[in-house]
Every structure is written in C-alpha cells, then in structure tokens.
Amino acid sequence: MSASSRILIFTGDGKGKTTAALGMAFRAAGHGIRTCVIQFIKADAKVGELLVLPKFQLIEIIQTGLGFLPKPTDPAWLRHQAAAEAGLRKAQEALADTRFGLVILDEVCLAVARGLLKEDAVIAAVRQARADSRVVLTGRGATAGLIAMADTVTEMQCVKHGMQSGISAQEGVEL
C-alpha cells in the first residue's frame, strides 16, 4: 500500500464506533467518494443508516451478519462464522472495486476478537486494498495485529450509558 492509503480503527467499549465510521462515509460522499460499508454481525434492516440510504446514492451498506452472537458452543455459532467469512469475501471485493474510495468494515474488530474471523485473514484482506483507498474497521476489542496495521486508532470509552439505567435502544440513537 502507498503512503496515500489510510487505515483507521474505531474500537473500545464506548458508544459511537459505527456512528464515527458513518460520519466518514457522509464526509466522503460530500467529496464525491463512493463508500461501501460491510456490516459484520449486524442484521437489523430497520436501523436508521439503512433507512436513509435511498437518499444517498454514494453510500452502499451490505449486512452480512446474523445478529447477536451466541456462545461458541451453541450450534448456531457455525452459521455466524460462515456469515462472517462471507462478509470478509464481500469486503475483499469492495476493497478491490475501483468504485469505492472508502470501505468500512463495521464490527470486524469484534468478529476477530470473538473468533469468527482470523486476524491474519482480515489483515491480508486490508493489505490488498488499492493504494488510493481509505479503510475503516470498527468494533470492540481490536486486536494487537489490527491496531499495528492501522495508521489511526481511536478507542471509545464508555463513561456512562443510558441502557445501564434501563433506557431501551432508541431510534436515532442506537437504531
């Protein structure tokens, strides 16, 4: 990858990782840069970022996840793992596609941390990105190898969260 490539990570236990990445997608769209977002883990078609997409032709979101992760001993684990691997293949396609100047791998750090994807496979995929690309990885638990690969890493820290006080997920905030 050339010096003009960028790899950013938004990680940590705080809220806002996906929101920060989507903010970059909107910023890129303002410059005419097309974005592809691959959402690992997530599977809710009613989240705000999907509902607004018809208004933004420069942003494409593909959900490859199956929702909340079961324990690795649960029989459903293998389906989640296969979905994550399919998401990584989609990510490789997007990273090679000249239409996309920004590729966001949403929740891929969590997919690696929880063992759905191998760290070295994700690193290899990102390293194959075009020289003029921008790549953002999000999710809790970014591993040492992912952090070492990135040129910018931000860790969101949860100081307080409404859900701890019994506030349900709300449209426009968590959904």
Side-chain angles (χ1 to χ4, degrees):
M1 293 176 57
S2 76
S4 63
S5 298
R6 295 296 305 273
I7 301 171
L8 298 91
I9 293 177
F10 299 122
T11 191
D13 66 352
K15 182 178 170 4
K17 299 173 287 292
T18 298
T19 303
L22 291 172
M24 287 188 62
F26 288 113
R27 179 177 285 163
H31 292 283
I33 298 168
R34 190 170 174 83
T35 297
C36 181
V37 180
I38 310 292
Q39 290 192 319
F40 294 82
I41 315 252
K42 295 179 179 174
D44 187 351
K46 295 180 183 148
V47 293
E49 59 263 32
L50 290 177
L51 298 175
V52 76
L53 277 184
K55 298 176 183 173
F56 295 95
Q57 284 81 35
L58 292 176
I59 302 171
E60 178 178 328
I61 299 179
I62 303 166
Q63 289 187 328
T64 63
L66 301 178
F68 289 105
L69 292 177
K71 294 183 183 209
T73 54
D74 188 308
W77 178 261
L78 293 176
R79 288 196 326 270
H80 284 263
Q81 197 168 39
E85 289 169 358
L88 186 58
R89 288 189 296 276
K90 289 244 182 235
Q92 290 169 312
E93 292 169 14
L95 289 163
D97 192 328
T98 57
R99 293 178 302 147
F100 301 117
L102 173 61
V103 176
I104 298 171
L105 307 181
D106 188 36
E107 299 292 356
V108 75
C109 296
L110 180 62
V112 171
R114 291 284 304 272
L116 289 175
L117 294 172
K118 295 191 181 311
E119 178 189 68
D120 60 344
V122 173
I123 291 171
V126 172
R127 290 205 186 281
Q128 293 300 312
R130 293 182 340 277
D132 62 344
S133 64
R134 299 148 192 89
V135 184
V136 176
L137 295 78
T138 75
R140 295 171 183 257
T143 59
L146 295 177
I147 290 170
M149 171 187 62
D151 60 76
T152 302
V153 178
T154 299
E155 183 170 359
M156 272 70 163
Q157 178 184 357
C158 184
V159 175
K160 182 179 180 180
H161 196 295
M163 293 181 116
Q164 295 166 333
S165 303
I167 298 172
S168 298
Q170 185 178 36
E171 289 180 355
V173 180
E174 288 86 15
L175 301 174

